Short mmCIF file of all heavy atoms in Angstrom, two decimals:
data_model
loop_
_atom_site.label_atom_id
_atom_site.label_comp_id
_atom_site.label_asym_id
_atom_site.label_seq_id
_atom_site.Cartn_x
_atom_site.Cartn_y
_atom_site.Cartn_z
N LEU A 243 170.95 165.26 56.50
CA LEU A 243 172.02 166.11 57.07
C LEU A 243 172.07 166.11 58.50
O LEU A 243 172.90 166.79 59.14
CB LEU A 243 171.76 167.54 56.53
CG LEU A 243 171.84 167.66 54.96
CD1 LEU A 243 171.45 169.16 54.70
CD2 LEU A 243 173.13 167.32 54.40
N ARG A 244 171.23 165.35 59.15
CA ARG A 244 171.26 165.25 60.64
C ARG A 244 172.59 164.75 61.13
O ARG A 244 173.17 163.69 60.68
CB ARG A 244 170.15 164.32 61.07
CG ARG A 244 169.92 164.30 62.62
CD ARG A 244 168.72 163.67 63.00
NE ARG A 244 168.39 162.52 62.05
CZ ARG A 244 167.22 161.84 61.94
NH1 ARG A 244 166.26 162.21 62.80
NH2 ARG A 244 167.01 160.84 61.10
N LEU A 245 172.99 165.31 62.28
CA LEU A 245 174.34 164.98 62.90
C LEU A 245 174.15 164.73 64.34
O LEU A 245 173.44 165.45 64.96
CB LEU A 245 175.44 166.03 62.63
CG LEU A 245 175.86 166.31 61.28
CD1 LEU A 245 176.78 167.43 61.16
CD2 LEU A 245 176.66 165.11 60.62
N THR A 246 175.02 163.85 64.94
CA THR A 246 175.12 163.90 66.40
C THR A 246 176.24 164.89 66.74
O THR A 246 176.84 165.41 65.99
CB THR A 246 175.52 162.38 66.89
OG1 THR A 246 176.86 162.20 66.37
CG2 THR A 246 174.53 161.34 66.39
N ARG A 247 176.32 165.13 68.05
CA ARG A 247 177.23 166.02 68.56
C ARG A 247 178.60 165.55 68.23
O ARG A 247 179.54 166.32 67.81
CB ARG A 247 177.10 166.18 70.07
CG ARG A 247 178.04 167.08 70.67
CD ARG A 247 177.99 167.17 72.28
NE ARG A 247 177.97 165.88 72.82
CZ ARG A 247 179.10 165.09 73.03
NH1 ARG A 247 180.28 165.64 72.63
NH2 ARG A 247 179.08 163.94 73.58
N VAL A 248 178.92 164.22 68.31
CA VAL A 248 180.32 163.72 68.06
C VAL A 248 180.55 163.77 66.69
O VAL A 248 181.77 164.20 66.23
CB VAL A 248 180.33 162.24 68.66
CG1 VAL A 248 181.59 161.56 68.07
CG2 VAL A 248 180.17 162.16 70.09
N GLN A 249 179.59 163.57 65.81
CA GLN A 249 179.83 163.63 64.30
C GLN A 249 180.12 165.08 63.92
O GLN A 249 180.94 165.43 63.13
CB GLN A 249 178.59 163.18 63.51
CG GLN A 249 178.46 161.62 63.60
CD GLN A 249 177.14 161.13 63.11
OE1 GLN A 249 176.22 161.94 62.84
NE2 GLN A 249 176.99 159.87 62.94
N ALA A 250 179.40 166.03 64.41
CA ALA A 250 179.64 167.46 64.16
C ALA A 250 181.06 167.92 64.67
O ALA A 250 181.80 168.67 63.99
CB ALA A 250 178.48 168.35 64.83
N ALA A 251 181.39 167.40 65.81
CA ALA A 251 182.78 167.83 66.35
C ALA A 251 183.75 167.30 65.43
O ALA A 251 184.77 167.91 65.08
CB ALA A 251 182.94 167.18 67.77
N TYR A 252 183.58 166.07 64.89
CA TYR A 252 184.58 165.50 63.94
C TYR A 252 184.66 166.30 62.72
O TYR A 252 185.76 166.58 62.17
CB TYR A 252 184.34 164.04 63.59
CG TYR A 252 185.35 163.47 62.73
CD1 TYR A 252 186.41 162.93 63.22
CD2 TYR A 252 185.26 163.52 61.38
CE1 TYR A 252 187.51 162.44 62.46
CE2 TYR A 252 186.21 163.01 60.46
CZ TYR A 252 187.34 162.52 61.07
OH TYR A 252 188.35 161.99 60.16
N LEU A 253 183.52 166.69 62.14
CA LEU A 253 183.46 167.41 60.91
C LEU A 253 184.16 168.85 60.99
O LEU A 253 184.71 169.33 60.14
CB LEU A 253 182.11 167.51 60.30
CG LEU A 253 181.49 166.27 59.77
CD1 LEU A 253 180.00 166.47 59.34
CD2 LEU A 253 182.36 165.68 58.71
N LEU A 254 183.91 169.43 62.14
CA LEU A 254 184.38 170.75 62.52
C LEU A 254 185.88 170.75 62.79
O LEU A 254 186.62 171.74 62.29
CB LEU A 254 183.62 171.35 63.61
CG LEU A 254 182.28 171.79 63.32
CD1 LEU A 254 181.52 172.16 64.57
CD2 LEU A 254 182.14 173.04 62.42
N SER A 255 186.38 169.76 63.54
CA SER A 255 187.72 169.83 63.85
C SER A 255 188.63 168.68 63.50
O SER A 255 189.86 168.72 63.68
CB SER A 255 187.81 169.91 65.44
OG SER A 255 187.28 168.73 65.99
N GLY A 256 187.98 167.62 62.94
CA GLY A 256 188.79 166.41 62.64
C GLY A 256 189.10 165.56 63.82
O GLY A 256 189.71 164.54 63.77
N GLN A 257 188.51 165.92 64.98
CA GLN A 257 188.73 165.15 66.23
C GLN A 257 187.46 164.98 66.95
O GLN A 257 186.83 166.03 67.18
CB GLN A 257 189.80 165.90 67.03
CG GLN A 257 190.31 165.05 68.32
CD GLN A 257 191.24 163.94 67.93
OE1 GLN A 257 191.78 163.84 66.85
NE2 GLN A 257 191.39 162.98 69.00
N SER A 258 186.92 163.82 67.24
CA SER A 258 185.68 163.71 67.96
C SER A 258 185.76 163.15 69.34
O SER A 258 184.85 163.27 70.15
CB SER A 258 184.78 162.82 67.18
OG SER A 258 185.27 161.40 67.10
N THR A 268 183.41 156.98 64.18
CA THR A 268 182.78 158.18 63.59
C THR A 268 183.18 158.38 62.18
O THR A 268 182.43 158.74 61.31
CB THR A 268 183.25 159.41 64.51
OG1 THR A 268 182.74 159.25 65.87
CG2 THR A 268 182.53 160.66 64.04
N LEU A 272 180.66 158.64 58.81
CA LEU A 272 180.63 159.72 58.06
C LEU A 272 181.05 159.44 56.63
O LEU A 272 180.50 160.01 55.62
CB LEU A 272 181.54 160.83 58.62
CG LEU A 272 180.91 161.44 59.90
CD1 LEU A 272 182.00 162.47 60.44
CD2 LEU A 272 179.71 162.15 59.72
N GLU A 273 182.03 158.38 56.44
CA GLU A 273 182.35 158.04 55.07
C GLU A 273 181.18 157.40 54.45
O GLU A 273 181.00 157.54 53.27
CB GLU A 273 183.56 157.18 55.09
CG GLU A 273 184.79 157.97 55.33
CD GLU A 273 186.05 157.04 55.39
OE1 GLU A 273 185.92 155.80 55.47
OE2 GLU A 273 187.19 157.63 55.52
N ARG A 275 178.11 157.73 55.05
CA ARG A 275 177.02 158.70 54.77
C ARG A 275 177.57 159.73 53.67
O ARG A 275 176.79 160.69 53.41
CB ARG A 275 176.64 159.46 56.04
CG ARG A 275 175.96 158.56 57.00
CD ARG A 275 175.52 159.19 58.19
NE ARG A 275 174.47 160.18 58.01
CZ ARG A 275 174.20 161.19 58.80
NH1 ARG A 275 174.84 161.28 59.94
NH2 ARG A 275 173.30 162.07 58.42
N ARG A 276 178.72 159.59 53.21
CA ARG A 276 179.35 160.42 52.10
C ARG A 276 179.49 161.88 52.55
O ARG A 276 179.27 162.84 51.77
CB ARG A 276 178.55 160.28 50.87
CG ARG A 276 178.59 158.81 50.36
CD ARG A 276 178.04 158.62 49.08
NE ARG A 276 178.11 157.23 48.85
CZ ARG A 276 177.87 156.76 47.68
NH1 ARG A 276 177.33 157.46 46.65
NH2 ARG A 276 177.92 155.41 47.48
N MET A 277 179.79 162.13 53.87
CA MET A 277 180.08 163.44 54.31
C MET A 277 181.57 163.77 54.31
O MET A 277 181.92 165.01 54.54
CB MET A 277 179.45 163.55 55.68
CG MET A 277 177.93 163.54 55.69
SD MET A 277 177.26 164.06 57.27
CE MET A 277 175.58 163.98 56.87
N LEU A 278 182.37 162.82 54.01
CA LEU A 278 183.76 162.95 53.84
C LEU A 278 184.18 162.48 52.51
O LEU A 278 183.66 161.52 51.95
CB LEU A 278 184.56 162.12 54.95
CG LEU A 278 184.40 162.51 56.44
CD1 LEU A 278 185.07 161.49 57.30
CD2 LEU A 278 184.86 163.99 56.66
N SER A 279 185.21 163.12 51.99
CA SER A 279 185.78 162.63 50.79
C SER A 279 187.32 162.92 50.73
O SER A 279 187.80 163.77 51.43
CB SER A 279 185.09 163.35 49.57
OG SER A 279 185.39 164.79 49.64
N GLY A 291 188.66 165.32 53.50
CA GLY A 291 188.04 166.60 53.77
C GLY A 291 186.57 166.44 53.68
O GLY A 291 185.93 165.48 53.34
N LEU A 292 185.84 167.57 53.98
CA LEU A 292 184.35 167.57 53.86
C LEU A 292 183.86 167.44 52.42
O LEU A 292 184.41 168.22 51.52
CB LEU A 292 183.81 168.86 54.45
CG LEU A 292 184.05 168.99 56.03
CD1 LEU A 292 183.35 170.44 56.38
CD2 LEU A 292 183.32 167.92 56.73
N SER A 293 182.88 166.70 52.25
CA SER A 293 182.33 166.77 50.84
C SER A 293 181.23 167.80 50.91
O SER A 293 181.07 168.46 51.90
CB SER A 293 181.57 165.36 50.64
OG SER A 293 180.50 165.19 51.52
N LYS A 295 178.11 167.41 50.83
CA LYS A 295 177.08 167.02 51.83
C LYS A 295 177.58 167.29 53.21
O LYS A 295 176.69 167.76 54.08
CB LYS A 295 176.71 165.56 51.70
CG LYS A 295 175.63 165.00 52.49
CD LYS A 295 175.36 163.60 52.16
CE LYS A 295 174.22 163.04 53.08
NZ LYS A 295 173.91 161.63 52.78
N GLY A 296 178.81 167.11 53.56
CA GLY A 296 179.35 167.33 54.84
C GLY A 296 179.18 168.81 55.21
O GLY A 296 178.93 169.19 56.32
N GLU A 297 179.54 169.71 54.19
CA GLU A 297 179.50 171.09 54.28
C GLU A 297 178.09 171.59 54.64
O GLU A 297 177.86 172.46 55.44
CB GLU A 297 180.16 171.75 53.17
CG GLU A 297 181.61 171.61 53.03
CD GLU A 297 182.21 172.20 51.74
OE1 GLU A 297 181.49 172.88 51.00
OE2 GLU A 297 183.43 172.05 51.57
N ALA A 298 177.11 171.08 53.91
CA ALA A 298 175.79 171.33 54.09
C ALA A 298 175.29 170.87 55.45
O ALA A 298 174.45 171.58 56.20
CB ALA A 298 174.91 170.68 53.07
N ALA A 299 175.68 169.76 55.95
CA ALA A 299 175.32 169.22 57.27
C ALA A 299 175.91 170.15 58.31
O ALA A 299 175.21 170.51 59.29
CB ALA A 299 175.91 167.87 57.49
N ILE A 300 177.09 170.64 58.22
CA ILE A 300 177.70 171.59 59.16
C ILE A 300 177.01 172.90 59.12
O ILE A 300 176.74 173.53 60.17
CB ILE A 300 179.19 171.69 58.95
CG1 ILE A 300 179.93 170.46 59.44
CG2 ILE A 300 179.74 172.99 59.69
CD1 ILE A 300 179.80 170.17 60.96
N TRP A 303 173.87 172.38 61.00
CA TRP A 303 174.18 172.26 62.38
C TRP A 303 174.32 173.65 63.11
O TRP A 303 173.87 173.96 64.12
CB TRP A 303 175.43 171.38 62.59
CG TRP A 303 175.81 171.31 63.98
CD1 TRP A 303 176.80 171.99 64.54
CD2 TRP A 303 175.50 170.36 64.92
NE1 TRP A 303 177.10 171.55 65.87
CE2 TRP A 303 176.21 170.43 66.07
CE3 TRP A 303 174.53 169.25 64.93
CZ2 TRP A 303 176.04 169.69 67.18
CZ3 TRP A 303 174.44 168.50 66.04
CH2 TRP A 303 175.11 168.69 67.18
#
Side-chain angles (χ1 to χ4, degrees):
L243 299 178
R244 186 174 30 195
L245 296 172
T246 66
R247 181 186 50 78
V248 172
Q249 292 168 347
Y252 183 87
L253 291 176
L254 288 168
S255 68
Q257 188 76 15
S258 64
T268 301
L272 292 173
E273 285 178 351
R275 295 180 64 200
R276 298 186 182 186
M277 291 191 180
L278 295 174
S279 62
L292 293 177
S293 66
K295 186 177 181 181
E297 290 174 8
I300 286 298
W303 176 266

